[in-house]
């Protein structure tokens, strides 16, 4: 059995992130619900030993469809777990809550947030990759497509502040003459592309293209991962304390198993997954069914992908979330190129077996 609780209210912020177009509908005073098992959970698992709390990086939307399906369809219950799902938001950090063991598992949008915390002394491990292929992309209009990195030369590119460093590294690694490119500062809103003020924008394959498609505007998506810049995203991570405690580790392993099953179910039946998102969160957040359906369809290839290249693809027998040696190396290489310090010890697949 599950029920809805309501966390503290969120301040007004309107920007797009990953698949969360619905975030733009949040206004001051809006409340984000979260799913929880019966009763009040705690990170130590409670007296019954079967409760676990997971903290998301962003508001409930298609980005977390597999987790919501896992809860709604009783897949965590079959693992013997009561799972509390805490949503995120603009001012809701995940890493500190996992570091201090206030929650058992975190889902962080980008691995560098975890890596940076570890470099500063936090005892954390990444235990699974929700997206084994990065959805970061250059997005252009279908009638004026940017299909290859060298096509960027001579173009006006809309770039967010957060994406600028990554974009510059990507261009240099692909032999693009940056001096022939004009970078135009933009927000996450794809309006400048729609208005043809720029030739392409940096964004996410599951985000801005969906927003534009809903307005009748067709786009061409060029994933960075297809051209040598891949990093796993939507990563699951835990504290080393969780891994060293036998009972806590087993609960985390069961959560990962239930989440895998939830994502497998969501990918098989995307309509059902969309219905779950809408029934649990749609009314509260003003999400739109067609928006969430298209977002899920757009993110699906990045969930199921083995990595950014054939070499980094995990064997099919390993299942979702598995981090192959090649994918780990891709992630390390990409993050190192943008100034993030990390090594292979940050990653472990130990919760994905059994």
């Amino acid at each position: 059995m599950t029920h809805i609780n309501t966390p503290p209210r969120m301040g007004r912020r309107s920007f797009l992130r990953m698949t969360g177009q619905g975030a733009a509908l949040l206004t001051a005073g809006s409340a984000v619900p979260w799913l929880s098992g019966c009763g009040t959970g705690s990170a130590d698992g409670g007296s019954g030993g079967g409760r676990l709390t997971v903290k998301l990086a962003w508001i409930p939307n298609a980005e977390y469809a597999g987790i919501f399906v896992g809860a709604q369809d009783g897949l965590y219950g079959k693992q013997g777990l009561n799972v509390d799902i805490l949503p995120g938001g603009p001012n809701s950090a995940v890493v500190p809550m996992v570091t201090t063991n206030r929650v058992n598992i975190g889902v962080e949008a980008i691995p560098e947030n975890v890596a940076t915390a570890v470099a500063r002394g936090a005892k954390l491990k990444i235990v699974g990759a929700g997206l084994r292929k990065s959805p970061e992309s250059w997005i252009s209009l279908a009638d004026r497509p940017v299909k290859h990195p060298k096509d960027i030369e001579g173009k006006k590119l809309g770039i967010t502040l957060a994406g600028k460093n990554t974009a510059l590294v990507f261009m240099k690694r692909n032999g693009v003459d940056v001096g022939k490119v004009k970078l135009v500062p933009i927000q996450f809103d794809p309006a400048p592309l729609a208005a043809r003020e720029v030739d392409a924008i940096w964004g996410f394959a599951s985000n801005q293209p969906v927003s534009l498609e809903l307005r009748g505007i067709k786009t061409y998506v060029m994933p960075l991962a297809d051209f040598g810049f891949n990093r796993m995203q939507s990563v699951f991570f835990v504290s080393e304390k969780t891994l060293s405690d036998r009972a806590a580790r087993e609960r985390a392993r069961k959560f990962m198993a239930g989440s895998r099953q939830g994502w497998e179910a969501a990918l098989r039946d995307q309509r059902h997954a969309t219905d779950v998102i809408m029934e649990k969160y749609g009314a509260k957040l003003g999400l739109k069914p067609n928006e969430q359906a298209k977002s899920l369809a757009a993110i699906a290839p990045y969930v199921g992908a083995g990595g950014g290249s054939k070499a980094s693809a995990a064997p099919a027998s390993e299942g979702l979330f598995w981090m192959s040696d090649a994918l780990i190396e891709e992630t390390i290489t990409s993050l190192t190129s943008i100034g993030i310090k990390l090594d292979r010890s940050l990653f472990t697949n130990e919760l994905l077996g059994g």
Side-chain angles (χ1 to χ4, degrees), residues 206-283:
S206 54
N207 190 319
Q208 290 92 339
V210 172
S211 176
L212 291 171
E213 182 183 356
L214 291 170
R215 296 166 55 186
I217 300 173
K218 296 182 179 181
T219 59
Y220 184 89
V221 176
M222 185 183 79
L224 275 59
D226 289 351
F227 295 93
F229 193 94
N230 188 48
R231 51 179 170 172
M232 62 184 77
Q233 296 201 13
S234 196
V235 295
F236 295 84
F237 69 105
V238 301
S239 68
E240 290 186 7
K241 181 179 178 180
T242 290
L243 293 178
S244 65
D245 180 277
R246 182 176 179 180
R249 182 182 184 281
E250 179 62 7
R251 286 192 294 272
R253 186 195 67 78
K254 289 180 177 180
F255 172 79
M256 295 301 290
S259 296
R260 267 180 161 178
Q261 293 168 7
W263 263 112
E264 288 166 356
L267 295 177
R268 281 195 309 270
D269 190 346
Q270 294 185 24
R271 172 176 285 186
H272 170 62
T274 300
D275 288 343
V276 169
I277 296 168
M278 294 307 303
E279 289 170 6
K280 294 297 180 182
Y281 304 106

Side-chain angles (χ1 to χ4, degrees), residues 159-191:
I159 187 72
T160 64
L161 179 61
K164 183 176 180 179
N165 192 26
T166 298
L168 289 173
V169 169
F170 170 80
M171 286 189 280
K172 291 176 181 178
R173 286 178 62 175
N174 280 277
V176 176
D177 185 346
V178 179
K180 296 180 179 179
V181 178
K182 182 176 181 179
L183 298 180
V184 180
I186 63 169
Q187 301 299 316
F188 283 87
D189 190 337

